[in-house]
Amino acid sequence: MGLSRFCWGLISAVALFLILLHPPFLCLGIRSFPKTGGLTDIDFRDHFGFSEAPDYRNGVGCPLTTSSSVDGVTSCDPTLVHVAMTLDSEYLRGSMAAVHSVLRHASCPEHIFFHFIAAEFDPESPRVLTRLVRSVFPSLNFKVYIFREDTVINLISSSIRSALENPLNYARNYLGDIIDPCVSRVIYLDSDVVLVDDILKLWGVKMGEGRIIGAPEYCHANFTKYFTDSFWSDPVLTRVFGSRNPCYFNTGVMVMDLEKWRAGHFRKKIENWMELQRKNRIYELGSLPPFLLVFGGNVEPIDHRWNQHGLGGDNVAGSCRALHPGPVSLLHWSGKGKPWVRLDEKRPCPLDYLWEPYDLLKGKGKVQHHQRQEQYAFG
């Protein structure tokens, strides 16, 4: 009996050792959250201070879904529009407003499937966030994936703003691995955006041969400022652009061909640049420069109306900004200043009032939510 126990103990120890040696899984998927503790969806929603969103339905001419399950439409349905976003405590209010804006302006809201990436060790667990999304958007098609932060934590270098060092900012690098393999295309959106146009128009962008991502490009921007002098003085490193003519693009709004992404191993290409950055500092920003290095000069250009970015001001002061000239389909508060924070502090910028109609947080909840944000930031 003693020998038997010893053998089983040895086997268990070896199995644990092998698990620890195995590369970490990127994520787990959550489709639903059981109603525990006797809390109804209303109780759960009220606890966080959110209102239930209106129930948006398809307009005339929307296609019929071809597949469904007990939990709703499956992510493999070919008629769906796929949107990926991160989901975390600090930007939760922004995420809810972004989703609300997408549904409000969509011609076929029932055909939109959201893929939310939540951090494993968020102050609010991914399962709690899943339950909250379901209570605020009862008819939403979505799935929450648990992002293993240790997947990327050792690759992150310091940035000019601490918020840019959040591991969840790098989740977009892993969408090809995280999202269900049957999903061949996705629109990635940051949590500080609102749409004022039908997302189906953005989904319909045609990708040219060899193009992996599509985004608005800004070729008038000074591209050199996104990298250090040591990068530009190294003839081997600068050779990465070859004959390409790289332009700045913002990674907060991207159409991504996940089939080509997976086949071309672009996650690894981005990681290679992040590893180099740890050894020889070649940029100051967070997750943006590796994308510029890999894709700059080979991006499918999308109309600027789909990313009116920079509305949060710069990364230090967060000063007020005006809209860029031209039409607007998407507003993006990239930069330090966030509209919900400035509105709560009663020092909003003029454009923050364009974000406010999509805010689903109720009056009392806004105070509590702001207090929680301060706790996460300073506690």
Side-chain angles (χ1 to χ4, degrees):
M1 180 66 72
L3 180 60
S4 177
R5 288 179 179 174
F6 172 78
C7 290
W8 277 112
L10 181 61
I11 292 170
S12 299
V14 171
L16 177 60
F17 178 71
L18 290 174
I19 290 172
L20 292 174
L21 283 179
H22 194 279
F25 294 104
L26 288 174
C27 66
L28 298 171
I30 304 174
R31 283 302 302 270
S32 61
F33 182 79
K35 297 181 179 180
T36 58
L39 288 177
T40 66
D41 280 348
I42 295 175
D43 295 331
F44 201 85
R45 191 171 59 239
D46 288 347
H47 172 73
F48 285 89
F50 284 96
S51 301
E52 182 178 338
D55 189 17
Y56 295 105
R57 293 296 177 182
N58 282 351
V60 177
C62 293
L64 296 175
T65 55
T66 60
S67 60
S68 62
S69 69
V70 176
D71 293 322
V73 175
T74 64
S75 62
C76 294
D77 191 315
T79 66
L80 297 178
V81 172
H82 295 276
V83 180
M85 296 178 64
T86 57
L87 191 65
D88 69 322
S89 300
E90 185 176 0
Y91 289 92
L92 180 60
R93 188 170 165 192
S95 299
M96 295 295 193
V99 174
H100 185 201
S101 72
V102 170
L103 297 175
R104 183 169 171 177
H105 294 284
S107 55
C108 301
E110 295 176 70
H111 278 73
I112 301 173
F113 195 104
F114 281 88
H115 303 265
F116 295 112
I117 319 300
E120 184 179 15
F121 300 113
D122 191 276
E124 301 294 348
S125 74
R127 288 191 175 273
V128 169
L129 293 174
T130 303
R131 174 78 186 274
L132 179 59
V133 172
R134 175 60 66 209
S135 67
V136 175
F137 303 100
S139 59
L140 188 69
N141 298 312
F142 75 96
K143 185 174 182 178
V144 175
Y145 305 81
I146 304 173
F147 182 61
R148 292 284 302 273
E149 293 166 287
D150 56 355
T151 302
V152 72
I153 194 71
N154 292 327
L155 293 171
I156 298 175
S157 56
S158 60
S159 184
I160 60 173
R161 185 159 61 92
S162 59
L164 300 177
E165 299 168 22
N166 186 334
L168 207 55
N169 286 339
Y170 296 83
R172 72 195 82 186
N173 302 0
Y174 299 90
L175 293 180
D177 304 279
I178 293 173
I179 293 177
D180 298 328
C182 61
V183 178
S184 60
R185 190 182 219 198
V186 72
I187 297 172
Y188 175 81
L189 298 177
D190 272 351
S191 297
D192 51 2
V193 308
V194 294
L195 273 75
V196 292
D197 203 345
D198 190 350
I199 199 170
L200 191 61
K201 298 176 183 176
L202 182 58
W203 180 255
V205 167
K206 304 295 184 185
M207 302 282 271
E209 186 69 27
R211 299 285 170 82
I212 314 302
I213 65 172
E217 286 188 305
Y218 301 88
C219 295
H220 63 278
N222 183 2
F223 190 83
T224 60
K225 73 177 183 177
Y226 293 99
F227 303 95
T228 63
D229 291 341
S230 64
F231 172 83
W232 291 114
S233 62
D234 190 319
V236 176
L237 293 180
T238 53
R239 199 182 301 161
V240 64
F241 295 115
S243 59
R244 288 186 284 159
N245 183 25
C247 295
Y248 164 77
F249 62 93
N250 181 280
T251 53
V253 180
M254 296 185 291
V255 179
M256 306 175 68
D257 187 321
L258 294 184
E259 275 189 339
K260 293 179 183 176
W261 178 283
R262 296 172 184 127
H265 307 288
F266 284 96
R267 182 257 293 174
K268 183 58 181 173
K269 292 177 181 178
I270 288 175
E271 286 181 336
N272 289 341
W273 283 111
M274 293 175 68
E275 289 171 355
L276 179 61
Q277 162 75 353
R278 295 276 290 182
K279 300 172 185 175
N280 179 21
R281 196 167 182 83
I282 58 175
Y283 54 80
E284 301 296 339
L285 286 172
S287 59
L288 168 65
F291 265 85
L292 297 179
L293 288 163
V294 174
F295 297 108
N298 192 28
V299 172
E300 183 65 38
I302 294 176
D303 195 296
H304 288 180
R305 69 188 303 152
W306 287 106
N307 195 353
Q308 285 271 353
H309 69 286
L311 304 186
D314 61 40
N315 279 306
V316 179
S319 55
C320 293
R321 295 272 180 90
L323 286 176
H324 308 295
V328 181
S329 292
L330 184 148
L331 299 159
H332 185 187
W333 278 263
S334 57
K336 183 179 180 182
K338 302 306 173 189
W340 56 91
V341 174
R342 296 193 294 217
L343 285 164
D344 284 358
E345 293 179 347
K346 311 231 181 278
R347 53 178 187 85
C349 293
L351 291 177
D352 294 344
Y353 291 110
L354 297 178
W355 179 90
E356 195 172 24
Y358 304 99
D359 187 12
L360 290 170
L361 202 68
K362 295 183 286 190
K364 183 179 177 182
K366 293 179 182 180
V367 176
Q368 295 171 338
H369 186 82
H370 190 58
Q371 290 172 342
R372 282 200 298 270
Q373 281 189 314
E374 291 180 339
Q375 178 183 356
Y376 296 146
F378 306 108

